[in-house]
């Protein structure tokens, strides 16, 4: 309660393994290792999508965007005796269920602080061979990808003025506006 500064427990949520929470239209949505759930404040809980059916994939993060959830799953798989990484970006709506936007073995989307959204684009860090990381953006409507720069910091934020990269404490726009 922001007015009184007191905390209360929301019934029905698991005590561990909650990877992310968001509140939308009076309902709490959360992601665990096994699926995307919704919970009323009275503790009723409903599984919206099972996300562990493909074995080695593990959920990393999710967010809500204009009535759609965007989520990431990453994992490692054995391929011709070698271990290969693979990540997926998916969208979820109740009408369409889970839909794959992009799958690749080079996406590095394990931290929510390295992923942000602006104007139809998902910005993220992608491993680029031995040269390190690149900052890229993916069009969520079709999965197309563009490189937008190198990797210069731990966090990034998308704004109308462009992509900001900075420390977790403070970020400064070219006009010296602080975030």
């Amino acid at each position: 309660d922001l007015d009184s500064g007191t905390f209360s427990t929301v019934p029905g949520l698991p005590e561990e393994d909650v990877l992310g929470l968001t509140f939308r239209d009076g309902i709490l949505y959360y992601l665990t290792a096994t699926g995307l759930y919704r919970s009323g404040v009275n503790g009723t809980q409903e599984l919206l999508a099972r996300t562990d059916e493909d074995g080695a994939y593990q959920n990393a993060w999710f967010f809500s965007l204009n009535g759609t959830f965007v989520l990431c799953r990453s994992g490692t798989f054995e391929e011709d005796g070698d271990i290969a990484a693979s990540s997926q970006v998916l969208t979820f709506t109740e009408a369409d269920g889970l839909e794959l936007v992009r799958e690749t073995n080079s996406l590095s989307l394990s931290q929510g602080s390295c992923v942000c959204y602006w104007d139809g684009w998902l910005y993220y860090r992608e491993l680029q061979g031995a040269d390190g990381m690149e900052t890229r953006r993916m069009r969520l409507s079709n999965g197309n990808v563009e490189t937008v720069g190198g990797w210069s910091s731990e966090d990034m934020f998308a704004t109308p003025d462009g992509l900001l990269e900075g420390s977790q404490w403070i970020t400064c726009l070219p006009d010296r506006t602080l975030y």
Side-chain angles (χ1 to χ4, degrees):
D1 185 308
L2 295 177
D3 294 328
S4 67
T6 58
F7 292 91
S8 58
T9 301
V10 177
L13 291 180
E15 292 184 20
E16 55 188 63
D17 199 26
V18 174
L19 302 172
L21 298 165
T22 191
F23 198 71
R24 189 174 79 191
D25 300 327
I27 298 172
L28 185 65
Y29 294 86
Y30 62 96
L31 184 68
T32 70
T34 59
L36 180 63
Y37 294 83
R38 86 168 134 218
S39 177
V41 291
N42 62 358
T44 58
Q45 184 174 293
E46 180 183 358
L47 175 66
L48 297 176
R50 241 190 129 71
T51 57
D52 65 346
E53 294 173 351
D54 294 332
Y57 279 111
Q58 297 178 341
N59 293 331
W61 50 260
F62 86 113
F63 61 89
S64 175
L65 179 66
N66 301 327
T68 299
F69 291 104
V70 179
L71 61 119
C72 177
R73 305 186 320 157
S74 294
T76 55
F77 302 86
E78 188 171 337
E79 213 174 74
D80 299 327
D82 294 327
I83 300 297
S86 181
S87 294
Q88 296 178 326
V89 174
L90 304 105
T91 57
F92 174 82
T93 62
E94 290 194 55
D96 298 325
L98 282 174
E99 293 188 340
L100 183 66
V101 176
R102 182 169 170 82
E103 181 171 20
T104 179
N105 61 0
S106 62
L107 275 179
S108 177
L109 292 173
S110 59
Q111 285 188 41
S113 65
C114 290
V115 175
C116 58
Y117 172 83
W118 181 258
D119 197 28
W121 293 93
L122 184 72
Y123 292 83
Y124 62 96
R125 301 276 157 54
E126 185 164 356
L127 189 59
Q128 184 60 29
D131 298 331
M133 305 288 267
E134 287 185 342
T135 302
R136 297 189 176 183
R137 67 183 190 169
M138 175 193 316
R139 176 67 73 184
L140 281 178
S141 62
N142 59 18
N144 289 344
V145 173
E146 298 176 0
T147 299
V148 294
W151 183 25
S152 60
S153 67
E154 294 298 316
D155 300 294
M156 56 186 184
F157 311 90
T159 74
D161 299 313
L163 185 67
L164 306 178
E165 298 185 83
S167 74
Q168 63 183 351
W169 299 106
I170 197 164
T171 299
C172 184
L173 282 168
D175 71 357
R176 299 293 183 217
T177 303
L178 299 179
Y179 284 77

